Amino acid sequence: MREINMGVSIGGVEFQNPILVASGTYGYGSEAKDYCDISGLGGIVTKSVSWKPRPGNYPRRIVETASGMLNSIGLANVGVHAFVDEKLPYLENFNTKIIANIAASSTEEYCNVLRHIEENASKNLVGYEINVSCPNVKDGGLSFGTNVARVEELTKALRPLTKKLLIIKLTPNVTSVAPFAAACEASGADAISLINTVLGMSVDIHTRMPRISTVTGGLSGPAIKPIALAKVYEARKACTIPIIGIGGITSASDVMEFLIVGASLVQIGTANFINPNIGNQIFSELRNLLIDKGIVNIQDVVATLKVADQMKALGW
Ligand SMILES: Cc1cc2nc3c(=O)[nH]c(=O)nc-3n(C[C@H](O)[C@H](O)[C@H](O)COP(=O)(O)O)c2cc1C
């Protein structure tokens, strides 16, 4: 059988394959260890961590919707000190790359959290994903992610603090992601990841109450995949740094779609709740798909979308 190269390198970091698990859907590894071969994954993006522990939003925080789910967890997390002392050391047990996702309500807090992790970093930690895109908190989150100048200012403030990967996680809840992608590249980010959840709502017609406590929440799962693909495609045309595609992935052909529109790596989120080992299954499926198609290097698939010449001439 021919050797298939599934490895991906971004910003000098070698990932053994392009399949990562998304922040908030895989805890800190220990939650999934009995159900999943963690070392088979390309990487784990840990739950967003803030300076202080956060209890998150009042329940109900999750509801199933057509082809997806709405969540309003509100960035519940253990805080950066417990993250560094308890969670990161545990992740050293696995042969996979770790990316720490950071959420905060001010530039100063983002910087302090990153600095604290950096000073105590474990050997598997290869970078940071900066969450400027959570729709479920009042402070921080979208107030950064929907403002190009704030994203730019934040990226510039974080860049000098680390030589590890700096990845900015973008929201789909904007008219156009292109200026955000361009601003991240111009201010020194190594990569961008997108999309975070799409603002949504669900109502119980009998009680006339919203189905989650915060009224609106973040929609994820297969329902958002077409939105995510369109945003990744738009971002691909606006910047040259690598893109990590996220949104509704449940199969190898979903991964191929993201690679074709321009993502170098992908993250799997909601699908982990149905099957915590789905990342490894998709990896095997993807490998077989490449063999079937006679592709020996996964990176040859990236940004290979074929657009009809007439449409290209019109700028599509
Ligand atoms: C329950 C839940 C919690 C999440 N928590 C976070 C989080 O803490 N930080 C973050 O950046 N994204 C968070 N996300 C967003 C996911 O990482 C991902 O961007 C989004 O769900 C889209 O991917 P999917 O459709 O594969 O789930 C969360 C998503 C879900 C469903």
Side-chain angles (χ1 to χ4, degrees), residues 50-233:
S50 48
W51 183 252
K52 289 190 181 154
R54 290 178 66 116
N57 292 332
Y58 192 76
R60 185 177 178 180
R61 310 200 289 194
I62 283 182
V63 66
E64 193 168 342
T65 56
S67 301
M69 68 187 263
L70 270 179
N71 91 80
S72 181
I73 305 294
L75 300 177
N77 77 90
V78 296
V80 73
H81 293 88
F83 175 71
V84 156
D85 296 343
E86 297 159 25
K87 306 297 181 186
L88 269 183
Y90 177 78
L91 287 165
E92 285 299 317
N93 295 315
F94 304 100
N95 181 27
T96 192
K97 303 282 192 273
I98 308 301
I99 295 173
N101 178 301
I102 300 176
S105 54
S106 65
T107 298
E108 192 190 3
E109 186 186 351
Y110 277 108
C111 290
N112 287 340
V113 174
L114 190 145
R115 245 188 240 111
H116 187 74
I117 302 174
E118 188 77 4
E119 281 160 11
N120 299 277
S122 61
K123 72 172 167 29
N124 288 357
L125 186 90
V126 296
Y128 303 94
E129 180 177 69
I130 307 303
N131 178 3
V132 291
S133 43
C134 179
N136 305 321
V137 289
K138 283 219 174 81
D139 47 347
L142 279 188
S143 61
F144 274 88
T146 53
N147 182 322
V148 176
R150 288 195 86 181
V151 168
E152 202 165 36
E153 177 208 294
L154 177 62
T155 310
K156 280 185 185 154
L158 293 168
R159 181 67 282 178
L161 305 182
T162 182
K163 290 195 166 61
K164 295 186 167 55
L165 291 179
L166 183 62
I167 303 160
I168 312 296
K169 183 169 182 179
L170 300 179
T171 177
N173 300 310
V174 291
T175 309
S176 168
V177 292
F180 292 89
C184 289
E185 177 165 28
S187 29
D190 294 298
I192 52 173
S193 56
L194 69 162
I195 58 175
N196 206 320
T197 53
V198 179
L199 194 67
M201 180 168 178
S202 175
V203 177
D204 180 330
I205 61 160
H206 304 294
T207 60
R208 301 197 183 189
M209 288 177 74
R211 283 207 169 89
I212 49 175
S213 65
T214 50
V215 183
T216 58
L219 182 65
S220 62
I224 70 169
K225 195 188 78 179
I227 300 172
L229 286 169
K231 296 291 182 191
V232 169
Y233 182 56

